[in-house]
Structures are given as C-alpha cells and as structure tokens.
Amino acid sequence: MQSIKSIHLIVLLIAGFVLYYLLPMNLRALWQPDETRYAEISREMLASGNWIVPKFFGLNYFEKPVAGYWINNIGQGLFGHTNAGVRAGSVISTTLTAFLVAWLGWYMWHDRRLAIMSGVIYLTMLLVYGVGTYAVLDPIVTLWMTIVMCTLWLAFQAKTIGGKISWWIVTGLACGMGVMTKGFLVLAVPVVSCLPWVFLHRRKTELLIFGWLAVVSAVVIVLPWGLAIHYQEPDFWRWFFWVEHIQRFAGDNAQHQAPFWYYLPLMLVGALPWAGHLPGAIIGAWKKRLMAPQFWLLCFIIMPLILYSIGKGKLLTYILPCFAPLSLLIAHYIFFEDKGGAGINDWINITVGVIGMVGIVGGVAPWGIYPLYTYDELLRVAAAVLIFLGWAGAGWYSLMGGSARRYFSAVCPLNMALLVGFAVPAEIEDVKQPQAFITSVRETLQESRYILVQNPGIASAVAWELERSDIILFEDQGEMQYGLTKPEGRSQFVKANHFKQWLAHHRSAGSISVLLYLSTDEAANSVIYALPAPDATHSRGRLLLLQYFNDKGI
C-alpha cells in the first residue's frame, strides 16, 4: 500500500511539473527586452562558434559574462530555434535547484514529507515560477548559489579533513560559475550569508583554514575564460568591473534605483501561494537560531536581502536566490511548527483570487475603470478571470480540507501557468511580445536590405525571428552604447535627424524597413511624423513598419 501511494505521489509530481514548467514553455511568446535579448545573444554565439565573447547584433556586449549564455546555448541546441529552446536554460536550472532544495531538506531533517514539500513549495512560489520559466540569467545564478548553500553546509558538517577539503573546493567551483554567469557580486553573497552562523557557532578558525580553497578553485575555473576574453577583447574587464558593478550597484546613475525597503513587500508577493507561512517561518527560525539548520537557512535569506537592499540599483529578480532557503523554512514550519498558519495562508490565497477577479472585471476589462482590454478581447478577459478564480478556488479547497490538504496551495498558480499567455491584453502583447507582428510581416522584413528598429528590445525580437544580426538601431541605443561607440558599430545606429540623408545614400542598395514604436503621447511621435513619406506601411497596435523601396521601385 505504501509503494502504491508513493507511485501516485511521483505521478502527481511529474504531472504538476509538466503542467507548470514544460507545457507552457512554447505556448507564450517571448517578452522583450530580456527574453529576446538573451535568445539573440545565444543564437549569435551558436552561429558564430565564438563562445568566448558575447555578441549582440554582431557587436561586443559586455553587460554580463558568458556562462549563462553557454547554458542557454545548450537549451537552443536541444530544442532548436524555438521559444522552448530559449527558456530551457531557466527551466533546467530551476528544476535542478528544486532537487537541491529537496535533498538539503532530507539531509537536514531526514523527513521525506518535508523534503518533497520543500521542493514543491519552491517550484510553485510566484517569483520562482515567474522567473524560472522566463529566459533570464537569474535562475542560473540561483542554481549556483543554492549549490554553494548546500556545499558550505556539508563542508562545515564534514567530520574528516578530506571531506572538508572536497566540499570547500566544490563551493569555490560553484562560486566561480556564478561569477562567470553574472559577476563578482556572486562571491560576496555566500560570504556575507554564512558569517552570522560562523560567528554564532564559533567556526571562524575553520573558515580561515579552509576558505582559501574555495577562493583558489573559483579562480581556477574562471581563469581560462578570463584570460581568453582578455586576449580577444582587452577592454572587457575594465567595462565589466567599473560600469556593470560599481556604477550599477552604488553609483548615482545606477539603473533601476529604488528605496531600501523595496524588496520587503516583493518577498511577500513572491512567496505566494505560501506567503501566509512566511512570517511564522522567519520568526520560528530566529527563535531557534542556536539550532544549526534553521539559522543557517535564515542567514541565506536575510543577509543577501540586506546586501541587495543597500545597493541603489534594484531588480525583482535579484532576490530569487533567497527563495531556495525560504522554501525549506516554510516546509519545516508547516510540518513542525504551524499553529493555525495554514488557515491564514488559505484565506490569503482566497483574498488574492477575489481581488484579482474584481480587478479584472471592474478595473481593466473593457467596461472597467482603467480598460486595458477591448470588447474584441472578451476571451482574454475570461482567461484572466479564470486565472484568479482558480487561485481562489484552490485556496478554498485547501481551507475546507484543513491540514490534510496543505499541499493543495501548490495548485493556486496552475491556471496562471496554463492561461497567462492567452490573457495578455493586445495593447501589451503588441509591444512586449512582438513576435506575432514580426511573423505577419516576415516576408517584407526578410526581403529588406536594411532593417532599422527604434526600440532595442523589439530589435532583438526581429533579429531572433529572422536569424540575422545586421539590425540597425534607430534613434534609441538602449543598452548598446558600448558596442555602438566602437568603430565597427557606428554604421549600426542612425539618428532620426540624419535619416533622410542616410536614406538617400543607402536606398540604391535595396529596400529599407523601419520598425517604429509609437508612443501614447502624440507629441513624442514628432520624430516619426518628420520622417520621409514611406512607399508602404504596416501597423499593429503601437508598432508601425515603414517601407522604402529602392530606386527601382521594388
């Protein structure tokens, strides 16, 4: 009987994973700018065969190191030139992280239910699912940081010198891969995270004796690529260290500036549908800080959160590594400490679902206060309502079943996983998911000798869809300033006030397409209105394609 139950559980877990992570991979169009950017960089790396220097539109792109693109390359190699191929790296990394979370739960508490629950909690947290099925580098970084959290714990728990040496070396290798994925800040996170535990449990000597092994192994794994890119592009490390680290993290011109408390409400929202357990799990871990496992996990939540909060530049995805230890604390709290928290969590999920439905019907529906949908999109409205209806319904079912149905909170985001791609308003889809429009004008774009695109994110979508990197940016450089300032990049940017002259010079070489992003502010479109009259136009929502035929009229 026990084996039958185990088989049923395994089947349910696999089915849930397929529905949440595998099935939606190719259903949703790619979002610009992030997904289309990373898709195109990896495509160009595969096409060129140069796995050392990241290229974007054929130009040097030094915003991130290279290991994340390598993993994305594997995804595109396995699944081809598809949306699933673009997202495979994130999904694989998130899946491996969930297995590590479950394994660490088993290793710390030797409870199979807790281990499985922690993995399920991790995979169904809103931030984890949202980012884990989205083609960015943060799920990959989270995998390396979760490995570090596990191997450091094993290093401190090891009873033999050989065991300690081995785990410290593996820790350094994971840190090195983190550096090669996103940068040097990855080195600071595990050091800052483990220090409170080290001081509380008086393990400073052990850290000093063995810590250098991690440093050496990190250097060893980074050094070959570090030297290779320095040989090919000597300016990489200057730009990457100063601009992408110092200025982005602490400079007055840091990107995405936000207040110190920015991440606190996002942690609560990101922890849905398990957010009701979060306060109890955190408080419980603090009360039991002399018990090694709970405090270790708490340190890997609180310390990175403080570190990222200090920085001026903030993005939601930065705190993704905090959710691996958080899922373990919540699982432990549910099984061993919860006194009424399950009911509170269920009521939170019911409330989220009801507020979501009210917001859709009364807020953004065609008849709402702030309509995002039109009357032609009632099926999309219905899909959006079903997302929150499913959330509230799962919360209610869990509430009615008490502790026997505590797993059922994991079902709350299921409708979102399956329907969100069908619920996006056309107004947003046309701008943030331009694949449909690009596909509709594919033949026109493919026949164009030159393609100019006003928005860099949309430009990356064009490059990805057409599998060509010779896209010319028009008016807006976006994050391409570095590559466009180099001699080889100057021909890939055209200012609007120079376009008439540029057109006269290049028109004889073939037809020209200019893809523009119309602003909601009519005055901001003055640049577009000042362009020479096109020979043909195509439009969809706020996207406008202008065609200029060559001198022969074709």
Side-chain angles (χ1 to χ4, degrees):
M1 182 64 70
Q2 185 65 36
S3 62
I4 294 176
K5 289 183 178 180
S6 298
I7 291 173
H8 287 170
L9 179 60
I10 292 172
V11 170
L12 285 173
L13 291 174
I14 293 174
F17 179 75
V18 170
L19 291 173
Y20 271 101
Y21 282 86
L22 298 187
L23 186 60
M25 283 175 66
N26 216 38
L27 292 179
R28 303 193 309 266
L30 299 179
W31 285 75
Q32 67 89 8
D34 292 328
E35 288 197 299
T36 53
R37 178 199 305 125
Y38 292 124
E40 175 58 16
I41 293 172
S42 292
R43 187 199 67 79
E44 291 186 32
M45 187 171 285
L46 284 169
S48 68
N50 184 344
W51 288 44
I52 302 299
V53 183
K55 299 279 186 178
F56 195 18
F57 304 127
L59 305 175
N60 288 341
Y61 186 74
F62 292 165
E63 188 174 284
K64 296 291 186 294
V66 77
Y69 305 130
W70 289 350
I71 292 178
N72 288 342
N73 291 354
I74 295 172
Q76 292 191 34
L78 290 173
F79 297 96
H81 190 81
T82 62
N83 295 349
V86 173
R87 294 174 172 133
S90 291
V91 171
I92 291 170
S93 299
T94 302
T95 305
L96 292 176
T97 301
F99 276 112
L100 285 169
V101 165
W103 173 85
L104 187 58
W106 168 255
Y107 185 84
M108 285 180 164
W109 291 294
H110 300 288
D111 189 299
R112 190 185 69 169
R113 299 173 308 154
L114 185 149
I116 294 173
M117 186 70 163
S118 62
V120 170
I121 290 172
Y122 181 76
L123 287 173
T124 54
M125 281 180 166
L126 187 58
L127 182 65
V128 174
Y129 169 75
V131 181
T133 56
Y134 187 69
V136 288
L137 303 181
D138 300 275
I140 303 172
V141 173
T142 298
L143 172 62
W144 304 130
M145 291 298 92
T146 305
I147 292 174
V148 169
M149 180 180 70
C150 294
T151 56
L152 267 179
W153 177 253
L154 291 172
F156 281 116
Q157 299 303 309
K159 303 301 182 183
T160 65
I161 298 297
K164 291 183 181 297
I165 290 174
S166 299
W167 289 120
W168 277 103
I169 290 175
V170 175
T171 297
L173 295 177
C175 286
M177 291 303 298
V179 170
M180 292 176 64
T181 301
K182 206 162 186 181
F184 297 111
L185 191 59
V186 175
L187 292 177
V189 172
V191 174
V192 169
S193 298
C194 75
L195 282 179
W197 185 91
V198 166
F199 279 94
L200 182 65
H201 291 272
R202 300 179 181 179
R203 307 292 285 272
K204 299 185 293 293
T205 303
E206 188 174 337
L207 176 64
L208 294 173
I209 291 175
F210 295 100
W212 63 271
L213 290 171
V215 176
V216 171
S217 59
V219 171
V220 167
I221 199 169
V222 174
L223 193 60
W225 171 75
L227 293 175
I229 196 167
H230 177 73
Y231 177 78
Q232 293 191 29
E233 299 293 342
D235 196 41
F236 173 84
W237 288 111
R238 179 201 67 81
W239 175 271
F240 183 63
F241 178 76
W242 181 252
V243 176
E244 298 300 331
H245 281 75
I246 304 302
Q247 291 184 11
R248 174 167 289 196
F249 185 75
D252 292 333
N253 60 341
Q255 296 179 337
H256 314 293
Q257 295 192 40
F260 181 84
W261 49 263
Y262 173 78
Y263 289 119
L264 295 179
L266 294 179
M267 282 285 290
L268 281 169
V269 175
L272 290 170
W274 309 96
H277 301 295
L278 190 150
I282 297 294
I283 294 171
W286 174 252
K287 288 180 177 179
K288 297 180 179 180
R289 56 188 175 275
L290 294 179
M291 299 175 65
Q294 286 92 324
F295 190 62
W296 178 263
L297 297 171
L298 185 63
C299 290
F300 275 81
I301 299 169
I302 301 299
M303 298 309 293
L305 195 64
I306 293 173
L307 180 65
Y308 287 122
S309 296
I310 292 172
K312 292 184 178 180
K314 297 178 177 68
L315 280 176
L316 171 62
T317 56
Y318 290 173
I319 60 170
L320 183 61
C322 298
F323 284 78
L326 183 60
S327 62
L328 282 160
L329 283 185
I330 289 177
H332 186 274
Y333 175 78
I334 288 174
F335 280 108
F336 300 114
E337 303 171 61
D338 185 18
K339 295 179 176 61
I344 295 172
N345 188 67
D346 294 333
W347 278 114
I348 289 175
N349 286 323
I350 293 169
T351 303
V352 167
V354 171
I355 291 175
M357 286 188 286
V358 171
I360 296 295
V361 175
V364 298
W367 51 83
I369 299 172
Y370 185 73
L372 286 177
Y373 295 96
T374 67
Y375 282 97
D376 294 331
E377 301 177 272
L378 294 184
L379 286 178
R380 297 185 187 226
V381 174
V385 170
L386 284 174
I387 287 173
F388 290 102
L389 179 62
W391 198 297
W396 180 258
Y397 184 80
S398 178
L399 179 67
M400 292 298 98
S403 60
R405 296 179 185 170
R406 54 190 160 195
Y407 276 101
F408 214 80
S409 294
V411 180
C412 288
L414 181 59
N415 278 6
M416 177 177 290
L418 298 175
L419 297 176
V420 69
F422 304 101
V424 178
E427 179 180 337
I428 296 174
E429 181 183 62
D430 291 340
V431 175
K432 303 303 289 186
Q433 297 179 308
Q435 279 180 293
F437 177 71
I438 296 169
T439 300
S440 70
V441 294
R442 176 187 296 275
E443 186 175 348
T444 296
L445 292 172
Q446 285 177 330
E447 293 174 352
S448 299
R449 172 62 182 85
Y450 299 102
I451 301 175
L452 288 74
V453 187
Q454 182 183 16
N455 178 282
I458 297 173
S460 60
V462 173
W464 161 258
E465 283 294 318
L466 302 183
E467 299 185 56
R468 55 186 287 184
S469 58
D470 60 337
I471 308 300
I472 299 172
L473 294 179
F474 178 74
E475 187 64 18
D476 182 7
Q477 292 185 348
E479 68 272 16
M480 293 301 299
Q481 296 96 331
Y482 180 86
L484 293 172
T485 58
K486 301 303 177 182
E488 63 273 16
R490 290 170 186 165
S491 62
Q492 285 187 245
F493 178 69
V494 177
K495 291 285 289 182
N497 56 1
H498 296 155
F499 178 70
K500 186 175 182 179
Q501 179 183 358
W502 183 93
L503 180 65
H505 183 70
H506 291 82
R507 200 166 189 169
S508 60
S511 63
I512 296 167
S513 291
V514 183
L515 182 54
L516 303 170
Y517 170 39
L518 299 174
S519 173
T520 54
D521 180 6
E522 284 296 307
N525 294 326
S526 57
V527 168
I528 297 172
Y529 299 143
L531 296 178
D535 297 309
T537 63
H538 306 270
S539 65
R540 176 169 173 169
R542 291 164 63 187
L543 296 178
L544 174 63
L545 177 64
L546 308 180
Q547 270 189 283
Y548 297 90
F549 301 139
N550 64 13
D551 292 338
K552 298 178 182 179
I554 57 174

